[in-house]
Amino acid sequence: MRRAMLFSLFTALMLSTAHAQDAPAMPEFDPRAHCERQNRIMATESAVMLRMCIDNEQRALNILRKDWDSAPPAARRTCLRQQQMTRSTSYFMLNSCIQMEADATRDIQRR
């Protein structure tokens, strides 16, 4: 009995570890730093544009916090890889990518 219990516990631990590896964690970005960098790239010194960017990033972060665990793991992996390749630190771009990936997957499955 004890051996069966240990085996079940071990199996559950392995499955949860595999699931955790399959589903990447949400990254931690600094919205203000991202927006300040974007302002420099665009050669803008606009406080209004900076504020709008930060607000957009914060809204996207709030959505991602709420929906991250229910987003398809494949979409999360794909979009995180894109973020890494482009060195993007934007929650807005990450959220947009995940939504597009999920929409495309649903469209394909409907066919």
Side-chain angles (χ1 to χ4, degrees):
M1 175 74 164
R2 183 173 168 87
R3 199 176 274 167
M5 226 165 100
L6 286 173
F7 179 75
S8 294
L9 182 60
F10 177 75
T11 303
L13 179 62
M14 293 305 290
L15 288 174
S16 69
T17 302
H19 178 68
Q21 290 171 348
D22 186 45
M26 194 172 88
E28 292 185 28
F29 300 139
D30 180 350
R32 175 172 283 285
H34 166 76
C35 292
E36 288 172 350
R37 194 168 37 257
Q38 292 306 306
N39 265 0
R40 282 192 304 277
I41 291 169
M42 303 302 270
T44 339
E45 296 298 324
S46 169
V48 172
M49 293 298 286
L50 178 63
R51 183 77 251 155
M52 285 177 60
C53 177
I54 293 170
D55 289 348
N56 284 337
E57 288 295 316
Q58 190 60 52
R59 273 193 293 282
L61 173 58
N62 292 342
I63 291 168
L64 284 167
R65 281 183 179 148
K66 181 176 63 77
D67 297 341
W68 186 260
D69 290 335
S70 62
R76 287 185 272 169
R77 279 191 307 276
T78 297
C79 294
L80 284 172
R81 254 189 313 244
Q82 286 178 5
Q83 294 280 108
Q84 290 169 343
M85 288 172 43
T86 61
R87 295 186 178 159
S88 174
T89 59
S90 171
Y91 287 119
F92 181 83
M93 295 302 292
L94 179 59
N95 185 48
S96 297
C97 178
I98 289 173
Q99 288 178 355
M100 287 188 290
E101 285 285 325
D103 289 347
T105 300
R106 276 192 296 278
D107 287 348
I108 289 169
Q109 290 172 346
R110 284 186 202 142
R111 293 178 186 176

